[in-house]
Every structure is written in C-alpha cells, then in structure tokens.
Amino acid sequence: MTGQELLQRHVERFNAAVRTGDWEPMLEQFADAAELEFRGIPVGPFVGKDAIRTAYREQPPDDELHVLESRERNGVVQARYAWLAEPDVAAGELVLTSEGGLVRRLVVTFERGVRWR
C-alpha cells in the first residue's frame, strides 16, 4: 500500500469514526508504537496505539475532514486538509509517515488558511 492509499484510508476511517463514535477501525491502521502529534492545539503528543485510542475516546473530533491536495516525498505524505464545516478553507496539514503499510507517525497541524510554498 502506498502512503497516498494509507492517507485515503485514514481519512475515510476518521470520518466514519466522527459519524459513529467507533474509533477502532481507524486505529487498526496505526502501528503499535505509532506517534500522534498535534501542532496548534494544547494536547499530546501521544505515543503508542493505546495512548492514541485514549486521546480519541476522551476528546473526539466533531467534524469530518477532506483532503484538499497531497504530495508524497521520500515515503512521507503531506496533505492540506479542510473541515466539512468549511470545505474550501485549509485547516492545516497532515504529515503521515508509514511503515509496513501502517501509520508510524502522524502530525496534524492546525493552521487555518495554510498555503503550500
């Protein structure tokens, strides 16, 4: 599975979890020792699937996201994303590093209106 495919699957499962409250399908694609970091909000970082599970259970997101554009370089996928509530406004970036078809590290930034150089 390519990094782009993993990103697409992550977004699909993330959005399904926002709708249903069931985060387990999304978490299945994280490596056991995965890292999740948020930049621009005062939470985390979270290391390990159990810590990530707890984070989503205790502070679940309330909006779906979609990818505005993405690119992959040296095995790292970068994507600008928007929230469904404001689908044309970039909310930040996702930076996904994969390993063995799983998410090894995910950095989520919150930078409204971010533009790529």
Side-chain angles (χ1 to χ4, degrees):
M1 173 180 313
T2 68
Q4 292 280 359
E5 291 168 333
L6 186 57
L7 172 67
Q8 180 180 350
R9 182 182 293 173
H10 171 73
V11 170
E12 289 169 358
R13 291 181 178 191
F14 174 91
N15 289 341
V18 169
R19 291 188 301 271
T20 66
D22 181 7
W23 296 97
E24 287 306 311
M26 184 196 78
L27 291 165
E28 288 174 359
Q29 64 194 4
F30 280 82
D32 289 339
E35 300 173 27
L36 175 62
E37 180 182 348
F38 295 104
R39 294 182 185 160
I41 60 172
V43 298
F46 304 97
V47 178
K49 194 185 289 191
D50 288 337
I52 296 168
R53 176 181 291 111
T54 299
Y56 278 103
R57 185 177 55 240
E58 290 179 357
Q59 295 183 352
D62 62 359
D63 198 359
E64 296 179 41
L65 62 85
H66 74 97
V67 173
L68 297 170
E69 60 184 322
S70 64
R71 60 189 177 199
E72 187 167 359
R73 293 183 185 161
N74 301 321
V76 177
V77 179
Q78 292 178 280
R80 285 187 334 120
Y81 72 92
W83 296 113
L84 188 59
E86 292 186 289
D88 297 324
V89 177
E93 289 184 328
L94 304 171
V95 181
L96 185 150
T97 305
S98 63
E99 182 177 270
L102 298 172
V103 176
R104 173 67 184 100
R105 178 171 170 77
L106 179 61
V107 177
V108 182
T109 71
F110 293 82
E111 304 170 84
R112 193 174 192 288
V114 67
R115 297 185 189 275
W116 280 355
R117 299 171 223 6

